[in-house]
Amino acid sequence: MTLPLYLGLPMWANQDWLGSFYPRHAKTELLSDYATVFSSVEGNTTFYSGIPKQATVAAWASQAPSHFRFCFKLPASVTHDQRLTRLEEAWAFLAALAPLHDRLGPTMVQLPRDFGPQELPQLEALLAAWPRHLPCAVEVRHPDFFLKGTAETALNRLLITYSANRVMLDVRPVFSTPANGHIGLAHAQQEKPKLPLHVLSTAKYPVIRFIGHIDKTINKDYFSAWKARLKLWISQGKTPFLFVHTADNRESPEMARLLYNALATEAQLPPLNRFPGEKQSQLF
């Protein structure tokens, strides 16, 4: 079953969500509860930990319903350490995910900030050999790819040629004000690249990573224009993936619900289920 839009967070396990999104004494295996509300998730853990163990993949497969989509990140050892010069680990990574191939959204290739135009041949080698039945998305962070010049044109043509999606990282909310002593906001401003937002869809699955502020009003203002664009893509038969972050991710479930509800009215999307923690609170 394909949904008109997939909504998710940067992870499904966060201790800060116990007692709010999850019940206060939730079990350690949280994915099945998470998937009752959200239809996708960023698999950031694989960026750091590499190829997951067979037992881990089997556990994920047993907890995720058929409509759910994982958007794992290619390991940093492939993208950052080897800079796409040796691809054996990339193919081993995709092979390890075989039990989840029917539930994979775009696997994200997050490239280093200094991965520039001169290295596009390495990216093309990856995309040319990428399995056609598995969607892929590429996130670039080199400034040259945001100047609307020859480098960005070459990148976009490459992505279109191989039906790869360009990840749109929207950091405007988190950089809209000074941190003013807020630790989470300061950390997000240090961690995220301050790059312009270029809104374009190069393939069937547009991927938006919306990095929110601690102020909900600021997030709603910046998300306003996304509603029309997402509605347009859905009407064109595309399937967007929207991932919602907040500065420290403590409020990301609630922020995702707020933004989704604002979109659902215009795009005629089904309502989100209640959070698992809210369901339990009704029992007492």
Side-chain angles (χ1 to χ4, degrees), residues 22 32 49 61 83 91 106 117 121 124 148 182 186 199 209 223 227 249-250 265 272 276 278 282:
Y22 292 122
S32 57
S49 61
R83 302 181 75 86
W91 313 138
E124 182 168 15
K148 298 185 178 180
H182 189 282
V199 179
R209 302 180 66 219
F223 188 72
K227 293 187 292 184
N249 281 318
R250 291 182 179 180
T265 302
L272 286 186
E278 293 172 336
Q282 289 183 318

mmCIF file of all heavy atoms in Angstrom, residues 22 32 49 61 83 91 106 117 121 124 148 182 186 199 209 223 227 249-250 265 272 276 278 282:
data_model
loop_
_atom_site.group_PDB
_atom_site.id
_atom_site.type_symbol
_atom_site.label_atom_id
_atom_site.label_comp_id
_atom_site.label_asym_id
_atom_site.label_seq_id
_atom_site.Cartn_x
_atom_site.Cartn_y
_atom_site.Cartn_z
ATOM 1 N N TYR A 22 5.217 8.493 24.049
ATOM 2 C CA TYR A 22 5.088 7.114 24.514
ATOM 3 C C TYR A 22 4.580 7.088 25.955
ATOM 4 O O TYR A 22 4.731 8.078 26.691
ATOM 5 C CB TYR A 22 6.454 6.405 24.487
ATOM 6 C CG TYR A 22 7.017 6.162 23.113
ATOM 7 C CD1 TYR A 22 8.259 6.674 22.743
ATOM 8 C CD2 TYR A 22 6.317 5.401 22.178
ATOM 9 C CE1 TYR A 22 8.796 6.441 21.490
ATOM 10 C CE2 TYR A 22 6.847 5.160 20.918
ATOM 11 C CZ TYR A 22 8.084 5.684 20.578
ATOM 12 O OH TYR A 22 8.604 5.450 19.330
ATOM 13 N N SER A 32 7.086 -0.514 16.978
ATOM 14 C CA SER A 32 5.701 -0.873 16.658
ATOM 15 C C SER A 32 4.733 0.202 17.134
ATOM 16 O O SER A 32 3.741 0.499 16.451
ATOM 17 C CB SER A 32 5.345 -2.228 17.277
ATOM 18 O OG SER A 32 5.548 -2.208 18.675
ATOM 19 N N SER A 49 26.591 3.629 12.680
ATOM 20 C CA SER A 49 26.886 2.256 13.083
ATOM 21 C C SER A 49 27.187 1.319 11.927
ATOM 22 O O SER A 49 27.678 0.210 12.135
ATOM 23 C CB SER A 49 25.714 1.689 13.889
ATOM 24 O OG SER A 49 24.530 1.663 13.104
ATOM 25 N N ALA A 61 11.892 -5.683 10.992
ATOM 26 C CA ALA A 61 10.900 -6.221 10.068
ATOM 27 C C ALA A 61 9.679 -6.756 10.797
ATOM 28 O O ALA A 61 8.544 -6.624 10.317
ATOM 29 C CB ALA A 61 11.530 -7.322 9.210
ATOM 30 N N ARG A 83 34.455 8.299 0.580
ATOM 31 C CA ARG A 83 34.000 9.329 -0.364
ATOM 32 C C ARG A 83 33.522 8.703 -1.683
ATOM 33 O O ARG A 83 33.809 9.188 -2.766
ATOM 34 C CB ARG A 83 35.096 10.375 -0.608
ATOM 35 C CG ARG A 83 35.567 11.061 0.674
ATOM 36 C CD ARG A 83 36.621 12.092 0.402
ATOM 37 N NE ARG A 83 36.065 13.300 -0.175
ATOM 38 C CZ ARG A 83 35.564 14.323 0.513
ATOM 39 N NH1 ARG A 83 35.537 14.279 1.835
ATOM 40 N NH2 ARG A 83 35.097 15.397 -0.103
ATOM 41 N N TRP A 91 26.839 -1.820 -1.300
ATOM 42 C CA TRP A 91 26.016 -2.943 -1.766
ATOM 43 C C TRP A 91 25.794 -3.958 -0.650
ATOM 44 O O TRP A 91 24.713 -4.562 -0.573
ATOM 45 C CB TRP A 91 26.660 -3.600 -2.981
ATOM 46 C CG TRP A 91 27.106 -2.634 -4.027
ATOM 47 C CD1 TRP A 91 28.268 -2.669 -4.734
ATOM 48 C CD2 TRP A 91 26.399 -1.467 -4.500
ATOM 49 N NE1 TRP A 91 28.343 -1.602 -5.603
ATOM 50 C CE2 TRP A 91 27.205 -0.851 -5.488
ATOM 51 C CE3 TRP A 91 25.175 -0.884 -4.186
ATOM 52 C CZ2 TRP A 91 26.824 0.312 -6.155
ATOM 53 C CZ3 TRP A 91 24.794 0.278 -4.833
ATOM 54 C CH2 TRP A 91 25.594 0.866 -5.802
ATOM 55 N N PRO A 106 13.237 6.156 0.260
ATOM 56 C CA PRO A 106 14.533 6.524 -0.310
ATOM 57 C C PRO A 106 15.667 6.357 0.708
ATOM 58 O O PRO A 106 15.635 6.935 1.793
ATOM 59 C CB PRO A 106 14.353 8.006 -0.676
ATOM 60 C CG PRO A 106 12.882 8.185 -0.824
ATOM 61 C CD PRO A 106 12.267 7.260 0.183
ATOM 62 N N PRO A 117 31.852 19.618 -6.732
ATOM 63 C CA PRO A 117 31.572 19.270 -8.127
ATOM 64 C C PRO A 117 32.592 18.313 -8.734
ATOM 65 O O PRO A 117 32.244 17.493 -9.588
ATOM 66 C CB PRO A 117 31.596 20.625 -8.828
ATOM 67 C CG PRO A 117 31.295 21.624 -7.755
ATOM 68 C CD PRO A 117 31.893 21.072 -6.511
ATOM 69 N N PRO A 121 31.722 12.478 -10.437
ATOM 70 C CA PRO A 121 31.881 11.158 -11.055
ATOM 71 C C PRO A 121 31.737 10.006 -10.063
ATOM 72 O O PRO A 121 31.206 8.949 -10.427
ATOM 73 C CB PRO A 121 33.288 11.211 -11.656
ATOM 74 C CG PRO A 121 33.504 12.664 -11.961
ATOM 75 C CD PRO A 121 32.828 13.390 -10.821
ATOM 76 N N GLU A 124 28.060 9.610 -9.562
ATOM 77 C CA GLU A 124 27.439 8.976 -10.719
ATOM 78 C C GLU A 124 27.700 7.469 -10.730
ATOM 79 O O GLU A 124 26.813 6.682 -11.089
ATOM 80 C CB GLU A 124 27.940 9.596 -12.020
ATOM 81 C CG GLU A 124 27.274 8.971 -13.236
ATOM 82 C CD GLU A 124 27.518 9.739 -14.513
ATOM 83 O OE1 GLU A 124 28.422 10.589 -14.538
ATOM 84 O OE2 GLU A 124 26.788 9.486 -15.495
ATOM 85 N N LYS A 148 23.060 27.929 -8.116
ATOM 86 C CA LYS A 148 22.280 27.939 -9.367
ATOM 87 C C LYS A 148 23.181 28.152 -10.584
ATOM 88 O O LYS A 148 22.782 28.780 -11.579
ATOM 89 C CB LYS A 148 21.176 29.004 -9.318
ATOM 90 C CG LYS A 148 20.155 28.748 -8.204
ATOM 91 C CD LYS A 148 19.008 29.743 -8.246
ATOM 92 C CE LYS A 148 17.985 29.425 -7.157
ATOM 93 N NZ LYS A 148 16.834 30.361 -7.158
ATOM 94 N N HIS A 182 19.678 29.172 24.655
ATOM 95 C CA HIS A 182 18.981 27.885 24.602
ATOM 96 C C HIS A 182 19.951 26.830 24.069
ATOM 97 O O HIS A 182 20.400 26.890 22.924
ATOM 98 C CB HIS A 182 17.754 27.977 23.693
ATOM 99 C CG HIS A 182 16.879 26.761 23.760
ATOM 100 N ND1 HIS A 182 17.195 25.594 23.098
ATOM 101 C CD2 HIS A 182 15.719 26.518 24.423
ATOM 102 C CE1 HIS A 182 16.264 24.681 23.339
ATOM 103 N NE2 HIS A 182 15.355 25.230 24.146
ATOM 104 N N ALA A 186 21.215 26.245 20.210
ATOM 105 C CA ALA A 186 22.627 26.528 19.914
ATOM 106 C C ALA A 186 23.307 25.308 19.296
ATOM 107 O O ALA A 186 24.077 25.429 18.333
ATOM 108 C CB ALA A 186 23.353 26.952 21.188
ATOM 109 N N VAL A 199 14.028 24.394 -3.602
ATOM 110 C CA VAL A 199 12.881 23.492 -3.641
ATOM 111 C C VAL A 199 12.713 22.958 -5.061
ATOM 112 O O VAL A 199 12.368 23.701 -5.977
ATOM 113 C CB VAL A 199 11.593 24.221 -3.190
ATOM 114 C CG1 VAL A 199 10.403 23.277 -3.272
ATOM 115 C CG2 VAL A 199 11.766 24.752 -1.772
ATOM 116 N N ARG A 209 13.595 17.522 4.806
ATOM 117 C CA ARG A 209 14.012 17.441 6.204
ATOM 118 C C ARG A 209 13.814 18.846 6.784
ATOM 119 O O ARG A 209 14.590 19.759 6.511
ATOM 120 C CB ARG A 209 15.461 16.975 6.330
ATOM 121 C CG ARG A 209 15.718 15.610 5.693
ATOM 122 C CD ARG A 209 17.171 15.173 5.838
ATOM 123 N NE ARG A 209 17.493 14.942 7.238
ATOM 124 C CZ ARG A 209 18.658 15.277 7.808
ATOM 125 N NH1 ARG A 209 19.593 15.915 7.100
ATOM 126 N NH2 ARG A 209 18.872 15.021 9.082
ATOM 127 N N PHE A 223 6.616 26.782 7.440
ATOM 128 C CA PHE A 223 6.015 25.609 6.804
ATOM 129 C C PHE A 223 4.868 25.993 5.872
ATOM 130 O O PHE A 223 4.465 25.191 5.024
ATOM 131 C CB PHE A 223 5.499 24.636 7.870
ATOM 132 C CG PHE A 223 5.033 23.315 7.313
ATOM 133 C CD1 PHE A 223 5.944 22.385 6.837
ATOM 134 C CD2 PHE A 223 3.678 23.007 7.259
ATOM 135 C CE1 PHE A 223 5.524 21.175 6.322
ATOM 136 C CE2 PHE A 223 3.239 21.793 6.746
ATOM 137 C CZ PHE A 223 4.173 20.870 6.266
ATOM 138 N N LYS A 227 2.979 23.739 2.282
ATOM 139 C CA LYS A 227 1.668 23.103 2.122
ATOM 140 C C LYS A 227 1.240 23.073 0.660
ATOM 141 O O LYS A 227 0.799 22.033 0.148
ATOM 142 C CB LYS A 227 0.621 23.831 2.984
ATOM 143 C CG LYS A 227 0.842 23.673 4.484
ATOM 144 C CD LYS A 227 -0.287 24.263 5.295
ATOM 145 C CE LYS A 227 -0.351 25.751 5.208
ATOM 146 N NZ LYS A 227 -1.410 26.334 6.083
ATOM 147 N N ASN A 249 14.797 18.023 19.454
ATOM 148 C CA ASN A 249 13.944 16.872 19.133
ATOM 149 C C ASN A 249 13.031 16.412 20.263
ATOM 150 O O ASN A 249 12.328 15.418 20.122
ATOM 151 C CB ASN A 249 14.774 15.691 18.607
ATOM 152 C CG ASN A 249 15.147 15.882 17.160
ATOM 153 O OD1 ASN A 249 14.328 16.322 16.356
ATOM 154 N ND2 ASN A 249 16.392 15.582 16.818
ATOM 155 N N ARG A 250 12.993 17.136 21.364
ATOM 156 C CA ARG A 250 12.054 16.777 22.428
ATOM 157 C C ARG A 250 10.616 16.976 21.980
ATOM 158 O O ARG A 250 9.721 16.220 22.358
ATOM 159 C CB ARG A 250 12.335 17.627 23.677
ATOM 160 C CG ARG A 250 13.645 17.291 24.375
ATOM 161 C CD ARG A 250 13.826 18.126 25.627
ATOM 162 N NE ARG A 250 15.069 17.792 26.316
ATOM 163 C CZ ARG A 250 15.470 18.366 27.440
ATOM 164 N NH1 ARG A 250 14.715 19.323 28.004
ATOM 165 N NH2 ARG A 250 16.606 17.994 28.002
ATOM 166 N N THR A 265 -5.637 19.305 5.903
ATOM 167 C CA THR A 265 -6.878 19.959 5.481
ATOM 168 C C THR A 265 -6.827 20.331 4.003
ATOM 169 O O THR A 265 -7.793 20.129 3.263
ATOM 170 C CB THR A 265 -7.124 21.213 6.329
ATOM 171 O OG1 THR A 265 -7.178 20.840 7.709
ATOM 172 C CG2 THR A 265 -8.426 21.874 5.947
ATOM 173 N N LEU A 272 -3.970 11.795 11.706
ATOM 174 C CA LEU A 272 -3.021 10.961 12.439
ATOM 175 C C LEU A 272 -3.724 10.268 13.599
ATOM 176 O O LEU A 272 -4.653 10.829 14.195
ATOM 177 C CB LEU A 272 -1.874 11.803 13.002
ATOM 178 C CG LEU A 272 -0.803 12.333 12.051
ATOM 179 C CD1 LEU A 272 0.297 12.997 12.864
ATOM 180 C CD2 LEU A 272 -0.232 11.240 11.164
ATOM 181 N N PRO A 276 0.678 6.972 21.321
ATOM 182 C CA PRO A 276 0.536 5.846 22.255
ATOM 183 C C PRO A 276 0.422 6.299 23.717
ATOM 184 O O PRO A 276 -0.336 5.714 24.494
ATOM 185 C CB PRO A 276 1.806 5.034 22.021
ATOM 186 C CG PRO A 276 2.196 5.354 20.615
ATOM 187 C CD PRO A 276 1.821 6.784 20.407
ATOM 188 N N GLU A 278 -0.883 9.079 24.795
ATOM 189 C CA GLU A 278 -2.201 9.672 25.010
ATOM 190 C C GLU A 278 -3.258 8.589 25.166
ATOM 191 O O GLU A 278 -4.178 8.714 25.971
ATOM 192 C CB GLU A 278 -2.561 10.581 23.839
ATOM 193 C CG GLU A 278 -1.675 11.824 23.728
ATOM 194 C CD GLU A 278 -1.919 12.603 22.456
ATOM 195 O OE1 GLU A 278 -2.395 11.990 21.478
ATOM 196 O OE2 GLU A 278 -1.643 13.804 22.457
ATOM 197 N N GLN A 282 -5.760 7.737 28.747
ATOM 198 C CA GLN A 282 -7.214 7.673 28.787
ATOM 199 C C GLN A 282 -7.699 6.495 29.628
ATOM 200 O O GLN A 282 -8.869 6.445 30.020
ATOM 201 C CB GLN A 282 -7.768 7.529 27.374
ATOM 202 C CG GLN A 282 -7.627 8.793 26.542
ATOM 203 C CD GLN A 282 -8.261 8.632 25.169
ATOM 204 O OE1 GLN A 282 -8.126 7.601 24.528
ATOM 205 N NE2 GLN A 282 -8.972 9.657 24.728
#
